[in-house]
């Protein structure tokens, strides 16, 4: 199929299904290449749908064996079947049963959608449209059915058989080596939440008692022998369940909750009802194999999938345009969980760093789209930072606007009112409008308007009147399909700080009791009275809105905030802003005065003297300069990645030299003597120590190499070992090459650790990396079929290695293009995700831009592209988008 004729799906075309399915009985006989699926569907015409229309069931690469209507086998002519659909032109006008037998080949399924095999086990992935690869169905989220699943397999091959809901029956099939299990899920659900697993799996489990005293068995299944590496995930699951009861009043509803880790998975994890399936990267952890970041990610994703049980499963989405209804809300919920379990300010900074790196980038690229898109060609391409991360920011802003108590009341009403239904963003907002009596229609523009609003803030102090006025202006740049923009509702959390760092309480009637001013016009001003001296404004505290802010503050004033603001986020932001100004000047050959370089260095020194050690995790964030990608985004056009790389290196060297003694002190004093623990405080100490090592090395390569080598040899945990290897990667030579070889030797049987090894090498900012990457693609541990491997080598090269992916000779782009095409034949989702690395192409200088355009065109011209890749490549090339 030509990519340019793929049909657009439009939100405005939504209409209810003409038929409903009340019950689904599935019988799945697992076989490596010929799995038989018998589905018995209890259908009826939908009173809200059209009458006298054919029944059209979705399929995808299906092979129909038989179909029967109310137990009568249909003959050719009574139905029309193709791999893509099964049509019954004259279905009954009353309830009826359709029995459909299909045969599928899980071993040949390289797309990892539908039923497939991973590490010899059988598993499924149905979101968004994978169920239609198992049987013909009304594969849309607003068709909710009660499922009973019988799974049968060779006991040898698949001793463990898992399904959604509760186990109701299991046993041997006499006289054969086969056995079976029957699972029943009493909660009506859409097909995308269906799952089954069959295989050889080890298990860790424990009982959980819910808030009303119900007994639940919670379990994590992993590759046999790796059970101990699932302990942390199981613990995180228990904590998530307690937290959701306490903070949202949400209780678990089945007798069991199972998590299965698989090594071939397109995404992070999936919230199938009662049977979450995870990329094993987000389950398996031991101090020797996982970093602090891995532990934090495991905790967050375990929580995320669990929280979906209410925000996604009990209340699901009417259609895929409403994806943010479950994803944005659930990301918000998992962020709150991590903030409560760890350090709130530190976590907030981490969230904002990802939001800016991924979502702001997307919003300024040809792929920009609203949090609730209005059209798509391929829904898989809309599991984006915008839907997830910006979607979460909208929920957070809603909470900021209406306050904590009303937010909780609104959530309760939403869950109560929409339980068991497929809802919309309107249903969600209505719950909050109803509990507060507010009109949220203007606020709802956040779901519809794409692009990152820019807000400028100017302060005016009136010495005689003792007043301080803040002038706000907002404006959102054009994005694809949206040339003009309307003003948004922007909550601005703010406060004033005196020049010597004291909080000032001045009055302003426009600022509410929670310290928030709502900017909802293109321009607005607010005035504080009783302001005794010229203040330093601290605006967008806690990053109260996902906007880009320009502030007319001097570096001296920003450094007052770094030292004294009561808002930790803005302390960090102040240091970043000062650093960014210098980095942009250095990268665009604007002369930089020595004082400018020195002011940040001396601010860092006094920060290290005074309070860095009181919160090492925070200090590590402060001492980490904006990334090369951040700087590129800030510059925004005609970007020269080489100049940015040099600038950042120079500044790190400068700061490292100016703070050398302090950094060395930190490095020595923070050395851990206790056994490894993944808790946030210990992780924070490691983060600060490793940030110090990085700056030390930038200042003095020889000294750094010595420290890093020693740390690499003696590290007692993966966090420290990997951090030191990362530092060694910046120094060409034999020490580095030997370390690479010894790491490989040590972890040759640990796929998840080898992923890190691939990543570090792909990120080396040297000309020889391109050949290294090509060589590594031939490494026995590399496989184009395994998404984790491909992302760790190729994804990292394209996303982390700014200078080498964006080589001036275009070779980086050409390499990615060729791999995208290869991957597309096996796994279109994986290929299209890799391809999104091109989303920065329009901001590059002209030589790189034309190389990138050519690489994109070479993909676009290829016949038989998947819908996934075709959609991304076409949108990336649309000229109007190059805003
Ligand atoms: N719904 C999953 C999550 O965010 C993500 C996912 C989407 C997984 C599509 C697989 C396929 O929790
Ligand atoms: Zn999710």
């Amino acid at each position: 199929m030509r990519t340019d004729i793929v049909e657009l799906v439009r939100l405005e075309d939504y209409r209810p299904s003409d038929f409903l399915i009340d019950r689904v009985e599935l019988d799945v006989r697992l076989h490596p290449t010929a799995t038989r699926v018998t589905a018995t569907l209890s259908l009826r015409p939908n009173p809200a749908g059209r009458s006298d229309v054919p029944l059209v069931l979705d399929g995808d690469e299906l092979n129909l064996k038989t179909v029967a209507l109310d137990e009568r086998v249909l003959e050719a002519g009574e139905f029309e079947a193709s791999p893509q659909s099964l049509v019954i032109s004259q279905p009954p006008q009353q309830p009826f049963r359709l029995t459909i037998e299909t045969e599928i080949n899980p071993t040949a399924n390289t797309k990892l959608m539908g039923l497939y095999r991973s590490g010899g086990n059988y598993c499924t992935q149905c979101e968004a449209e994978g169920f239609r690869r198992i049987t013909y169905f009304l594969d849309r989220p607003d068709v909710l059915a009660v499922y009973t699943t019988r799974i049968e397999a060779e006991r040898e091959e698949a001793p463990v058989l898992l399904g959604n809901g509760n186990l109701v029956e299991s046993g041997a099939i006499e006289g054969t080596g086969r056995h079976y299990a029957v699972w029943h899920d009493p909660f009506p659900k859409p097909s995308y939440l269906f799952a089954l697993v069959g295989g050889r799996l080890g298990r860790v489990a424990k009982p959980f008692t819910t808030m009303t005293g119900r007994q639940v068995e919670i379990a994590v299944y992993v590759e046999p022998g790796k059970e101990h590496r699932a302990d942390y995930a199981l613990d995180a699951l228990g904590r998530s369940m307690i937290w959701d009861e306490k903070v949202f009043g949400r209780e678990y509803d089945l007798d069991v909750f199972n998590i299965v880790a698989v090594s071939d998975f397109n995404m992070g994890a999936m919230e199938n009802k009662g049977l979450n399936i995870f990329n094993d990267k987000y389950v398996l952890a031991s101090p020797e194999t996982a970093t602090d970041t891995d532990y934090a990610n495991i905790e967050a994703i375990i929580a995320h999938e669990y929280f979906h049980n209410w925000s996604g499963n009990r209340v699901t989405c009417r259609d895929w345009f409403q994806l943010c209804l479950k994803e944005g809300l659930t990301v918000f919920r998992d962020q709150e969980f991590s903030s409560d379990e760890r350090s709130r300010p530190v976590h907030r900074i981490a969230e904002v760093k990802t939001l800016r790196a991924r979502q702001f980038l997307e919003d300024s690229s040809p792929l920009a789209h609203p949090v609730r898109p209005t059209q798509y060609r391929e829904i898989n391409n809309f599991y984006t930072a915008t839907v997830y991360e910006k979607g979460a920011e909208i929920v957070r802003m809603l909470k900021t606007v209406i306050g904590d108590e009303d937010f909780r009341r609104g959530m309760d009403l939403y869950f109560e009112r929409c339980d068991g239904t497929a809802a919309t963003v309107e249903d969600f907002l209505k719950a909050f409008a109803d509990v507060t009596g507010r009109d949220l229609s203007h606020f709802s523009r956040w779901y519809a308007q794409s692009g990152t609003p820019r807000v400028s803030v100017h302060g005016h102090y009136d010495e005689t009147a003792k007043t301080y006025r803040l002038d706000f202006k907002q404006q959102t740049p054009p994005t694809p399909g949206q040339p003009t923009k309307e003003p948004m509702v922007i909550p601005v959390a703010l406060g004033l700080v005196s020049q010597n760092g004291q909080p000032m309480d001045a009055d302003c009637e426009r600022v509410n009791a929670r310290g928030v001013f709502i900017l909802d016009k293109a321009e607005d001003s607010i005035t504080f009275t009783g302001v005794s001296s010229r203040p330093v404004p601290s605006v967008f505290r806690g990053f109260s809105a996902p906007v880009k802010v320009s502030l007319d503050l001097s570096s001296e004033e920003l450094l007052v905030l770094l030292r004294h603001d009561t808002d930790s986020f803005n302390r960090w932001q102040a240091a970043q802003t000062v650093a960014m100004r210098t980095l942009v000047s250095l990268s665009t050959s604007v002369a930089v005065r020595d004082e400018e370089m020195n002011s940040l260095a001396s601010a860092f020194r006094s920060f290290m003297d005074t309070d860095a050690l009181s919160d090492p995790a925070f200090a590590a964030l402060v001492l980490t300069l904006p990334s090369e990608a951040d700087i590129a985004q800030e510059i925004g056009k005609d970007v020269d990645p080489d100049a940015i790389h040099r600038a950042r290196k120079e500044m790190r060297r400068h700061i490292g030299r100016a703070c050398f003694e302090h950094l060395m002190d930190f490095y020595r004093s923070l050395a851990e003597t206790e056994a490894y623990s993944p808790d946030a405080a210990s992780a924070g100490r490691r983060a600060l120590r490793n940030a110090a090592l990085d700056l030390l090395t930038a200042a003095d390569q020889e000294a750094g190499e010595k420290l890093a080598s020693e740390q690499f040899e003696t590290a007692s945990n993966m966090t420290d070992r990997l951090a030191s290897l990362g530092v060694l990667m910046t120094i060409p030579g034999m020490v580095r090459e030997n370390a690479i070889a010894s790491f490989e030797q040590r972890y040759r049987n640990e796929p998840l650790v080898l992923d890190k090894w691939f990543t570090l090498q792909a990120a080396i900012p040297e000309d020889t990396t391109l050949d290294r990457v090509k060589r590594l693609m031939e490494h026995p541990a590399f496989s184009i079929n395994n998404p984790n491997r491909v992302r760790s080598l190729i994804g990292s090269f394209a996303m982390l290695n700014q200078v080498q992916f964006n080589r001036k000779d275009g070779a980086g782009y050409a390499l990615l293009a060729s791999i995208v095409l290869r991957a597309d034949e096996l796994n279109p989702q994986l290929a299209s995700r890799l391809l999104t690395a091109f989303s920065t192409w329009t901001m590059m200088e002209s030589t790189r831009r034309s190389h990138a355009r050519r690489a994109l065109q070479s993909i676009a011209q290829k016949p038989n592209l998947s819908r996934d890749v075709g959609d991304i490549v076409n949108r990336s090339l649309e000229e109007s988008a190059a805003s």
Side-chain angles (χ1 to χ4, degrees):
M1 191 188 286
R2 281 295 305 169
T3 53
D4 45 6
I5 57 165
V6 170
E7 233 178 288
L8 257 187
V9 185
R10 290 193 177 82
L11 171 57
E12 64 192 21
D13 295 341
Y14 173 84
R15 57 181 161 73
S17 175
D18 296 321
F19 293 88
L20 296 175
I21 303 176
D22 295 316
R23 280 184 315 283
V24 178
E25 281 133 78
L26 281 171
D27 183 9
V28 182
R29 296 173 193 209
L30 293 174
H31 181 280
T33 55
T35 292
R36 279 292 172 129
V37 179
T38 308
T40 303
L41 315 180
S42 303
L43 286 131
R44 67 185 155 97
N46 183 359
R50 301 167 302 176
S51 43
D52 290 315
V53 289
L55 170 66
V56 183
L57 301 179
D58 305 301
D60 183 9
E61 298 184 306
L62 284 179
N63 171 7
L64 178 70
K65 291 295 169 186
T66 61
V67 51
L69 204 158
D70 289 331
E71 336 304 325
R72 186 181 67 82
V73 175
L74 297 185
E75 285 164 28
E78 293 182 281
F79 64 92
E80 221 178 292
S82 77
Q84 285 83 255
S85 68
L86 173 60
V87 181
I88 312 243
S89 41
Q90 291 188 312
Q93 299 295 301
Q94 337 75 39
F96 60 100
R97 280 156 64 89
L98 203 60
T99 304
I100 303 165
E101 203 185 343
T102 50
E103 188 180 292
I104 52 183
N105 181 347
T107 303
N109 185 352
T110 57
K111 295 184 179 171
L112 313 187
M113 285 293 276
L115 178 71
Y116 66 95
R117 296 180 86 206
S118 174
N121 297 324
Y122 296 90
C123 64
T124 57
Q125 172 53 44
C126 293
E127 187 178 7
E129 298 176 335
F131 192 70
R132 64 184 67 180
R133 295 169 59 77
I134 297 172
T135 188
Y136 294 100
F137 204 73
L138 296 171
D139 194 11
R140 44 186 288 168
D142 60 350
V143 171
L144 275 59
V146 170
Y147 286 67
T148 306
T149 310
R150 181 181 179 280
I151 314 162
E152 188 188 306
E154 292 291 328
R155 192 190 283 280
E156 264 299 297
E157 191 188 23
V160 174
L161 299 173
L162 304 172
N164 304 107
N166 300 316
L167 179 66
V168 291
E169 201 190 320
S170 64
I173 298 170
E174 292 303 321
T176 71
R178 295 179 75 79
H179 73 144
Y180 73 95
V182 181
W183 290 81
H184 177 73
D185 177 6
F187 294 94
K189 66 167 174 288
S191 50
Y192 82 85
L193 291 173
F194 170 83
L196 68 79
V197 167
R200 306 196 144 272
L201 293 158
R203 171 181 194 260
V204 292
K206 64 180 182 189
F208 180 88
T209 309
T210 71
M211 60 202 272
T212 63
R214 288 189 42 253
Q215 283 295 119
V216 178
E217 178 84 349
I218 65 176
V220 183
Y221 290 82
V222 297
E223 195 184 312
K226 293 195 173 156
E227 291 84 351
H228 61 289
R229 293 194 195 174
D231 289 341
Y232 185 76
L234 185 64
D235 176 68
L237 174 59
R239 287 185 284 121
S240 307
M241 295 174 82
I242 293 171
W243 185 91
D244 211 17
E245 292 182 344
K246 203 175 84 203
V247 178
F248 281 90
R250 298 294 117 201
E251 185 181 10
Y252 188 59
D253 50 12
L254 290 164
D255 303 338
V256 290
F257 187 85
N258 288 322
I259 289 175
V260 179
V262 302
S263 45
D264 303 270
F265 202 73
N266 279 337
M267 309 278 277
M270 180 62 210
E271 70 265 24
N272 318 300
K273 182 79 186 190
L275 179 55
N276 288 185
I277 296 181
F278 271 63
N279 186 327
D280 60 4
K281 174 178 162 61
Y282 298 118
V283 173
L284 299 173
S286 69
E288 297 74 36
T289 57
T291 62
D292 292 331
T293 309
D294 292 326
Y295 278 95
N297 286 339
I298 290 169
E299 180 179 79
I301 297 178
I302 292 272
H304 179 97
E305 307 310 332
Y306 173 71
F307 297 156
H308 267 314
N309 191 54
W310 274 94
S311 48
N313 302 3
R314 290 287 290 257
V315 180
T316 195
C317 301
R318 187 192 72 174
D319 54 68
W320 292 120
F321 296 102
Q322 321 295 326
L323 185 57
C324 65
L325 180 69
K326 73 177 177 81
E327 296 305 346
L329 177 56
T330 305
V331 170
F332 169 76
R333 278 152 52 69
D334 84 57
Q335 290 177 343
E336 286 297 291
F337 168 71
S338 293
S339 298
D340 285 347
E341 298 285 297
R342 294 167 176 256
S343 151
R344 184 166 283 271
V346 166
H347 200 263
R348 185 63 184 145
I349 293 166
E351 284 158 27
V352 173
K353 284 175 73 156
T354 359
L355 181 81
R356 286 178 173 151
R358 301 181 51 228
Q359 201 281 322
F360 282 16
L361 186 80
E362 188 165 71
D363 244 353
S364 64
S365 83
L367 300 178
H369 56 273
V371 171
R372 180 167 64 182
T374 54
Q375 54 179 55
Y376 61 78
R377 290 199 147 82
E378 172 52 67
I379 188 55
N380 287 327
N381 288 339
F382 284 85
Y383 289 79
T384 61
T386 297
V387 170
Y388 277 66
E389 260 75 36
K390 190 174 179 181
E393 291 300 316
I394 302 180
V395 178
R396 185 177 299 282
M397 283 190 285
L398 178 64
K399 185 170 186 247
T400 304
V401 169
I402 69 179
D404 295 358
E405 272 172 38
D406 281 348
F407 179 74
R408 173 62 199 270
R409 292 200 298 136
M411 284 301 308
D412 287 350
L413 180 61
Y414 168 68
F415 284 132
E416 184 193 312
R417 199 186 256 173
C418 299
D419 188 11
T421 72
T424 61
V425 166
E426 283 72 21
D427 295 325
F428 178 69
L429 288 176
K430 185 152 193 309
F432 298 91
D434 288 355
V435 297
T436 60
R438 279 172 190 259
D439 178 358
L440 293 171
S441 51
H442 187 185
F443 180 84
S444 75
R445 198 170 281 158
W446 279 107
Y447 289 99
Q449 190 165 287
S450 58
T452 307
R454 283 154 173 65
V455 178
S456 70
V457 190
H458 290 274
H460 307 270
Y461 182 58
D462 186 332
E463 177 85 67
T464 41
K466 302 290 177 211
T467 58
Y468 184 66
R469 195 181 84 230
L470 280 173
D471 295 340
F472 291 87
K473 271 190 198 165
Q474 64 158 305
Q475 181 261 325
T476 305
T479 50
Q482 295 187 348
T484 59
K485 305 284 183 173
E486 301 292 326
M488 308 292 280
V489 177
I490 299 176
V492 190
L494 79 180
L496 302 182
V497 180
S498 74
Q499 298 284 343
N500 59 15
Q502 295 306 305
M504 298 173 88
D505 23 37
D507 289 322
C508 177
E509 56 180 17
R510 307 280 307 278
V511 176
N512 71 19
R514 300 188 299 275
V516 178
F517 154 64
I518 308 287
L519 171 66
D520 57 6
K521 299 193 244 329
E523 296 186 19
D524 206 349
S525 297
I526 60 174
T527 303
F528 292 85
T529 56
V531 188
S532 51
S533 62
R534 171 183 297 278
V536 181
S538 170
V539 295
F540 291 99
R541 282 183 161 166
F543 195 72
S544 60
V547 300
K548 292 189 178 172
V549 186
S550 82
L551 260 179
D552 63 348
L553 293 186
S554 66
S555 295
E556 290 67 42
E557 289 172 306
L558 286 165
L559 295 175
V560 169
L561 295 181
L562 167 62
R563 286 191 76 151
H564 301 290
D565 199 352
T566 49
D567 183 69
S568 301
F569 178 83
N570 270 0
R571 293 183 64 198
W572 170 80
Q573 181 60 63
Q576 293 287 302
T577 306
V578 173
M580 185 63 99
R581 286 179 183 171
T582 310
L583 286 164
V584 168
S585 300
L586 285 171
S587 310
T588 52
S589 35
V590 172
V592 173
R593 287 170 300 125
D594 273 0
E595 300 152 52
E596 198 177 323
M597 286 282 237
N598 288 335
S599 73
L600 187 63
S602 61
F604 275 4
R605 267 201 312 273
S606 67
F607 172 71
M608 286 192 262
D609 276 335
T610 52
D611 52 0
L613 287 174
S614 65
D615 188 349
F618 176 71
L621 290 166
V622 170
L623 296 181
T624 304
L625 300 183
S627 72
E628 290 174 31
D630 295 337
I631 303 165
Q633 211 189 114
E634 180 71 19
I635 296 172
K637 61 173 195 299
D638 292 324
V639 166
D640 175 358
D642 294 323
I644 292 174
H645 181 72
R646 284 192 301 270
R648 190 170 185 275
K649 201 166 168 182
E650 184 182 335
M651 193 156 169
R652 278 165 57 243
R653 185 191 305 129
H654 187 94
I655 288 176
R657 285 189 180 154
C659 306
F660 201 84
E661 304 302 319
H662 287 78
L663 293 166
M664 198 55 108
D665 261 7
F666 277 14
Y667 187 75
R668 298 230 168 83
S669 67
L670 288 163
E672 196 76 59
T673 46
E674 319 259 296
Y676 176 88
S677 152
D679 69 274
S682 317
R685 286 192 293 275
R686 282 185 289 273
L688 181 54
R689 183 164 187 258
N690 288 320
L693 177 62
D694 177 70
L695 284 172
L696 283 171
T697 311
D700 180 343
Q701 228 177 51
E702 225 171 288
E705 186 173 63
K706 218 168 140 266
L707 292 176
S709 301
E710 204 176 290
Q711 180 172 326
F712 179 73
E713 295 303 331
T714 60
S716 68
N717 60 77
M718 182 49 71
T719 304
D720 287 335
R721 177 156 290 129
L722 198 70
S724 55
L725 185 57
V727 166
L728 291 177
M729 288 290 171
T730 63
I731 311 169
M734 278 320 289
V735 174
R736 169 172 88 190
E737 300 309 318
N738 289 339
I740 292 174
S742 98
F743 193 92
E744 177 191 12
Q745 191 55 32
R746 191 176 192 129
Y747 300 106
R748 54 203 296 181
N749 297 318
E750 296 288 352
L752 295 175
V753 182
L754 282 179
D755 283 345
K756 303 176 195 302
W757 179 79
F758 282 124
T759 294
L760 282 184
Q761 296 181 79
I764 297 175
E766 293 165 23
D767 284 349
T768 50
T769 297
L770 193 80
D771 290 326
R772 198 189 281 266
V773 169
K774 289 182 184 163
R775 223 170 39 240
L776 286 171
M777 287 183 70
E778 306 299 320
H779 191 281
F782 182 82
S783 157
I784 189 95
N785 288 84
N786 179 272
N788 285 355
R789 282 326 77 78
V790 175
R791 284 186 290 247
S792 67
L793 183 61
I794 310 305
S796 305
F797 173 71
M799 316 259 185
L800 302 179
N801 198 338
Q802 295 291 304
V803 285
Q804 293 307 313
F805 173 56
N806 296 296
R807 284 163 65 111
K808 199 164 188 176
D809 63 4
Y813 302 141
L815 178 67
L816 185 64
S818 73
I819 296 166
V820 165
L821 288 174
R822 242 179 88 193
D824 196 34
E825 290 172 14
L826 298 163
N827 186 338
Q829 276 187 51
L830 176 65
S832 88
R833 293 213 151 235
L834 288 178
L835 184 57
T836 61
F838 274 105
S839 61
T840 50
W841 80 276
T842 53
M843 65 163 86
M844 291 295 147
E845 52 73 33
S846 62
T847 306
R848 289 175 172 85
R849 219 183 313 139
S850 52
H851 281 304
R853 182 187 287 109
R854 230 165 298 139
L856 284 166
Q857 283 165 345
S858 77
I859 297 175
Q861 277 151 19
K862 185 100 190 296
N864 305 319
L865 285 182
S866 67
R867 211 164 12 160
D868 309 59
V869 165
D871 171 47
I872 298 283
V873 79
N874 289 337
R875 282 196 280 142
S876 299
L877 279 167
E878 267 163 32
E879 285 304 324
S880 64
S883 54

